[in-house]
Amino acid sequence: MLDIKLIRDQPELVRAGLAKVGVEAAEVERVLDSDARRRKLQFELDELRARRARDSKELGKASLEERDAKRAEMRALGDRITSGERELAELEGECERMLLELPNLPRPHVPIGKSDADNKIVRGEGTPREYSSFKPLPHWELGEKLGIIDFDRGVKLSGTRFHFLVGAGARLERALIAWMLDIKTLEQGYLEVAPPLMVNTAAVIGSAHLPKFADTMYRDFEEDFYFIPTAEVPLTNMYAREILDADRLPIYLTAYTPCFRREKMSAGRDVRGIKRGHQFDKVEMVKLVHPEKSDEELEKLVENACEICRRLEIPFRVIQMCTGDLGFAAASKYDVEMWAPGCGEWLEVSSCSNCWDFQARRAQLRFRTGKGAKPEFVHTLNGSGLGLPRTLIAVLENYQNEDGSITVPPVLRPYMGGAERITK
RNA sequence: GGAGAGGUGGCCGAGUGGUCGAAGGCACCAGAUUGCUAAUCUGGCGUACUGGGUAACCGGUACCGAGGGUUCGAAUCCCUCCCUCUCCGCCA
């Protein structure tokens, strides 16, 4: 959520920033108009309430006759206040709803662009291997031949976009999770948490997945529960509505969780293989940092994701999102993509965002520098560290051998009971 | 699911219709003081919105789990909901 005071005080700056992400100036005007009406009413109402408090106090000391005489008048004042409060609540709701639907402002250095076509490749490491003696297979063929991915039975139970990982496939994923978490916690300074996978509406508003993206999430309509689309939701909300001491920052959190997504927007896309499912595993990184540090913390976050690719010895590249491809909450964003020779594409295995104070304002996530200092919003960042299905794809496809077996990446062998190969 | 108890400021805890944004204590901050490593004294110490001021700051309003109601006036009375604890049942 943007700061209403920023919109009020520097509307031209907000208009210009939002124009870059495709928001029309009229939307800003509507917010300003609503805010002006809200403030006017608030002021009038406050005066009425002050009068009531004063007069009521006097009435309490007055004689019985005086009380009876004034009661009707006071009652009328009370009724005016009640109706004013209703109107104010409506105006506040209207203003709030509009603010919740406005996307974040991009950082000034983010390249201007309309779509993913305008994104920038900023760097890469490793070279896609040449295959002279055989044609690399896509993971869905490798997985089925080895019996480590069972698509048919997944579909039988749950429909399209579901699969079983079986035997060494399940273990390989578990190895990746354990290995990644060890790097996050032992080397990169993250605190591991195991968060709730179902969260309430407030949490999902906090992370900015609501109100705009309600139809992307699974939901329990009887209880107030959303199934998390990413661990970003519980992690960024972990300290919601709290005021942290400044010396607790930065807070680095990591979690392995399943994620649940309806994928309505991508109906028919990526239906083959395990690239895009309704349910997938992910190791997530979230940072809560001092506002002055968030730009540099984003660079470190991306590097934390890259390190996983690097140690797997799989070619990867870093893409800087242009303004048109930032998404709703990010002020600045990088994707990390791994090369998959079987399906012949760069797979987005991580998406790292600096959300500035956008989520923190929604989640009321603040810190205080010292006694008497004003609470300030922290900056929140999040990134995958990495998404499991696509990492698994990259491992299978890059480490496949001509005979159809998979070499276990050296870094994973300790997590695979020492196994060096996955064979039929 | 049933029965009971309870939700007050960072924490503990008083407060059953007006003088309560809320006693008292702890913690914390500032100052004073003592030559003994901490004690004592004094003052300060919530958040949000909002009016005024360049600002330090001054003022108004709201907030005692949430939302409604009664009343001139609600932390206090009534209703609904949420949460926590204890016991029972049920399921693991």
Side-chain angles (χ1 to χ4, degrees):
Chain A
M1 187 158 64
L2 299 182
D3 185 358
I4 182 63
K5 286 174 186 155
L6 180 72
I7 301 177
R8 202 188 289 155
D9 298 341
Q10 297 180 261
E12 62 297 328
L13 180 144
V14 172
R15 274 191 287 262
L18 287 180
K20 291 186 194 171
V21 296
V23 175
E24 289 173 20
E27 289 203 45
V28 179
E29 279 340 287
R30 280 175 31 226
V31 172
L32 281 170
D33 176 63
S34 177
D35 175 57
R37 283 182 288 135
R38 193 203 100 242
R39 272 191 299 162
K40 180 163 178 286
L41 181 59
Q42 167 115 46
F43 184 73
E44 291 166 359
L45 192 55
D46 281 356
E47 303 228 295
L48 292 181
R49 288 198 277 215
R51 172 137 53 102
R52 176 177 69 181
R54 232 182 299 119
D55 293 359
S56 279
K57 205 171 281 185
E58 280 174 26
L59 197 56
K61 297 183 209 148
S63 68
L64 284 178
E65 300 81 64
E66 284 173 307
R67 285 195 201 194
D68 287 337
K70 268 208 108 174
R71 194 158 285 154
E73 185 191 325
M74 291 301 289
R75 184 176 192 117
L77 177 59
D79 288 345
R80 277 176 69 195
I81 290 171
T82 304
S83 66
E85 281 172 342
R86 288 217 173 88
E87 200 187 332
L88 181 65
E90 255 177 62
L91 269 174
E92 281 173 345
E94 175 185 300
C95 206
E96 174 93 352
R97 275 192 298 280
M98 286 193 271
L99 282 173
L100 286 175
E101 302 245 4
L102 281 183
N104 204 356
L105 293 169
R107 299 249 57 218
H109 64 266
V110 173
I112 312 281
K114 277 202 171 3
S115 71
D116 57 358
D118 301 313
N119 292 340
K120 270 191 186 163
I121 301 174
V122 289
R123 61 199 158 92
E125 285 180 40
T127 318
R129 183 180 144 188
E130 298 288 334
Y131 292 84
S132 46
S133 60
F134 70 103
K135 188 170 178 298
L137 298 176
H139 67 281
W140 54 84
E141 286 184 32
L142 285 167
E144 281 197 317
K145 281 185 179 165
L146 287 165
I148 60 174
I149 306 176
D150 187 337
F151 292 100
D152 294 342
R153 293 195 175 89
V155 170
K156 179 171 69 180
L157 267 67
S158 310
T160 182
R161 294 194 192 284
F162 286 94
H163 60 269
F164 281 84
L165 292 179
V166 179
R171 181 155 197 190
L172 184 58
E173 200 200 65
R174 179 158 56 87
L176 278 164
I177 293 165
W179 171 70
M180 286 180 196
L181 283 174
D182 281 351
I183 293 174
K184 300 294 147 196
T185 56
L186 301 175
E187 301 181 35
Q188 296 178 345
Y190 291 82
L191 176 67
E192 182 180 356
V193 297
L197 306 180
M198 296 144 83
V199 298
N200 59 29
T201 302
V204 189
I205 288 174
S207 65
H209 291 84
L210 278 181
K212 266 210 138 166
F213 307 102
D215 60 354
T216 66
M217 285 177 286
Y218 290 103
R219 181 178 183 187
D220 178 336
F221 281 93
E222 285 181 34
E223 315 290 333
D224 177 25
F225 283 138
Y226 287 83
F227 288 57
I228 60 168
T230 158
E232 172 195 345
V233 179
L235 296 191
T236 51
N237 279 284
M238 188 168 172
Y239 298 99
R241 276 154 271 132
E242 295 187 35
I243 301 174
L244 305 165
D245 289 333
D247 55 22
R248 290 193 61 184
L249 301 179
I251 294 174
Y252 289 8
L253 300 170
T254 188
Y256 149 71
T257 70
C259 305
F260 306 94
R261 298 185 183 178
R262 295 173 67 88
E263 298 294 355
K264 281 210 151 166
M265 301 302 284
S266 47
R269 270 177 52 204
D270 305 322
V271 285
R272 198 107 192 251
I274 63 173
K275 181 179 168 191
R276 188 187 296 275
H278 288 302
Q279 169 201 320
F280 64 97
D281 288 334
K282 180 155 60 70
V283 171
E284 181 75 0
M285 306 177 281
V286 161
K287 293 180 169 187
L288 314 177
V289 309
H290 188 100
E292 286 170 12
K293 296 281 203 305
S294 66
D295 277 331
E296 64 186 87
E297 289 283 5
L298 178 62
E299 302 301 320
K300 283 166 64 182
L301 185 71
V302 176
E303 182 47 35
N304 288 158
C306 289
E307 182 63 18
I308 302 293
C309 308
R310 187 176 296 127
R311 292 205 200 176
L312 282 172
E313 300 180 71
I314 293 173
F316 66 92
R317 63 186 194 180
V318 178
I319 314 287
Q320 180 174 29
M321 302 294 106
C322 71
T323 52
D325 205 22
L326 278 178
F328 189 69
S332 172
K333 173 151 105 179
Y334 296 99
D335 278 359
V336 179
E337 298 182 338
M338 267 181 175
W339 175 246
C343 39
E345 61 178 316
W346 290 94
L347 296 171
E348 178 196 320
V349 290
S350 181
S351 191
C352 299
S353 301
N354 177 1
C355 295
W356 210 247
D357 61 3
F358 189 79
Q359 293 175 318
R361 182 169 290 106
R362 289 168 167 250
Q364 292 294 308
L365 175 38
R366 294 173 290 178
F367 75 100
R368 188 181 348 238
T369 309
K371 190 72 185 173
K374 268 201 162 168
E376 295 176 61
F377 292 111
V378 304
H379 281 190
T380 63
L381 301 93
N382 67 79
S384 349
L386 285 4
L388 267 303
R390 294 177 186 181
T391 305
L392 198 60
I393 292 172
V395 168
L396 295 178
E397 295 189 4
N398 281 285
Y399 281 87
Q400 63 180 297
N401 302 305
E402 190 161 4
D403 64 2
S405 68
I406 309 287
T407 302
V408 176
V411 289
L412 295 179
R413 289 176 194 168
Y415 296 84
M416 292 285 287
E420 294 181 8
R421 271 169 108 83
I422 297 172
T423 54
K424 193 156 186 203

